[in-house]
Amino acid sequence: MRGISNDNVWQLALKDRTHAQGKASMLIAAQGYAYHPQFSPDGTKIAFESNRSGYPGIWVCNRDGSDPVQITSMPGMAGTPRWSPDSRFLAFDFRPKEHSEIYVVEVPGGAPRQITTVPGANNVVPSWSLNGQWVYFASKGGGRDFQVWKVPIRGGRAVQMTKKGGFAPLEADDGFLYFTKSFDIPGIWKVPSPGGTETAVLNTSDAPHWPDWAVVPGGMYFINSRSSPKPILEFFDFATGRRTSISALDGEPQGLAVSPDRKSILYSQSSQDSQVIVVVKNFR
């Protein structure tokens, strides 16, 4: 007996910042899984992580989900893609040997190249600075816990940004870098983009886990990790601290993205999870 689980990318239209328009619909169907979808900043493409080729890799499709193209064909585990501000490059993490490293690839047709990070450590979950000059990432280099670091895209030494734990960094246009504390602890914190004091933004038990939030001007969208009976998509206003429920989601989402025009939300969700009997002939 073996399990079958298809994790597809779904899309929810937004009427305005805090109201959904209709129900979510499937945008990208996957054989296996499609995780961590991300809109390109120019709004024309979607990058996502998928194992449809037999191993986890990076794929890109059109805005409507059509014409998926495999970007990486590296034996191993590649995931969590993020677009550069000019929509030309993708940063992603990949485990070639003992540790995960950060790679950058030009889309389409470029060859992935490893960028300098923290030697001898797991370096994961990259994102870009708004000016495209830095790549942020999480690393266990130099300590027991993950911390947020950044490295110049043109080469140079990595700079540590957090000291009390940091994961999944995202830079916003308000001058702050937002991040979670770790892989498995929900909650959002922030630190000034040049570095400084780390402060809590949404530090509650129902705050999002690391892949389930996205910053936009003035606030962030996130998935309430403890809502029942279904997960709830919410908006958090940075200025007022007010939370607004937008829509209930089916299943357990994996990853969250907001379109550049802020009219669509993407997230990954399991559409099939079942057990099937497998018959093997001449088994001994």
Side-chain angles (χ1 to χ4, degrees):
M1 180 176 290
R2 64 182 176 88
I4 297 177
S5 179
N6 291 331
D7 292 88
N8 305 310
V9 174
W10 288 67
Q11 178 174 243
L12 177 68
L14 296 177
K15 185 182 343 181
D16 55 40
R17 189 167 74 168
T18 57
H19 294 89
Q21 185 171 316
K23 295 184 178 181
S25 59
M26 189 187 302
L27 182 68
I28 302 172
Q31 292 183 345
Y33 69 74
Y35 288 159
H36 309 298
Q38 292 294 320
F39 286 103
S40 60
D42 64 10
T44 64
K45 301 290 184 180
I46 297 171
F48 58 98
E49 171 190 340
S50 177
N51 64 349
R52 62 180 62 196
S53 65
Y55 48 84
I58 308 302
W59 291 70
V60 168
C61 65
N62 293 329
R63 170 65 180 80
D64 62 1
S66 64
D67 298 327
V69 175
Q70 187 174 0
I71 301 301
T72 64
S73 55
M74 307 158 70
M77 299 180 64
T80 60
R82 288 279 181 180
W83 292 95
S84 61
D86 61 6
S87 301
R88 288 184 55 199
F89 298 90
L90 283 167
F92 61 96
D93 53 34
F94 175 67
R95 183 182 289 270
K97 295 180 181 179
E98 182 179 357
H99 298 109
S100 297
E101 299 290 355
I102 306 299
Y103 282 70
V104 171
V105 61
E106 188 170 9
V107 179
R113 65 178 179 89
Q114 183 180 337
I115 63 175
T116 303
T117 51
V118 181
N122 280 323
N123 304 294
V124 295
V125 195
S127 65
W128 296 77
S129 64
L130 296 183
N131 62 13
Q133 300 302 306
W134 298 82
V135 171
Y136 297 104
F137 61 96
S139 177
K140 279 193 173 182
R144 181 183 61 184
D145 300 322
F146 276 107
Q147 304 289 349
V148 173
W149 296 67
K150 67 177 181 179
V151 65
I153 189 61
R154 298 187 183 278
R157 192 175 67 175
V159 179
Q160 187 171 341
M161 297 293 296
T162 63
K163 297 179 180 179
K164 300 178 181 179
F167 200 79
L170 293 175
E171 186 177 88
D173 65 354
D174 60 1
F176 286 94
L177 181 69
Y178 292 81
F179 58 95
T180 60
K181 279 291 185 183
S182 75
F183 182 85
D184 57 356
I185 299 176
I188 304 298
W189 281 257
K190 68 178 181 180
V191 64
S193 295
T197 303
E198 304 162 32
T199 57
V201 176
L202 185 60
N203 184 17
T204 60
S205 61
D206 60 353
H209 287 278
W210 72 269
D212 298 334
W213 59 289
V215 293
V216 297
M220 69 176 183
Y221 291 91
F222 72 97
I223 297 172
N224 184 325
S225 62
R226 294 175 62 90
S227 58
S228 181
K230 294 182 177 182
I232 300 291
L233 175 67
E234 298 189 27
F235 180 78
F236 180 84
D237 189 297
F238 287 152
T240 65
R242 180 182 178 184
R243 296 169 54 166
T244 303
S245 296
I246 298 174
S247 179
L249 307 178
D250 294 320
E252 291 296 329
Q254 176 70 257
L256 186 73
V258 184
S259 62
D261 60 8
R262 293 185 287 285
K263 293 183 178 180
S264 298
I265 298 283
L266 294 182
Y267 59 94
S268 180
Q269 176 180 286
S270 179
S271 300
Q272 183 180 4
D273 191 357
S274 59
Q275 301 288 327
V276 297
I277 302 293
V278 179
V279 177
V280 181
K281 293 183 178 181
N282 300 321
F283 177 77
R284 294 181 180 178

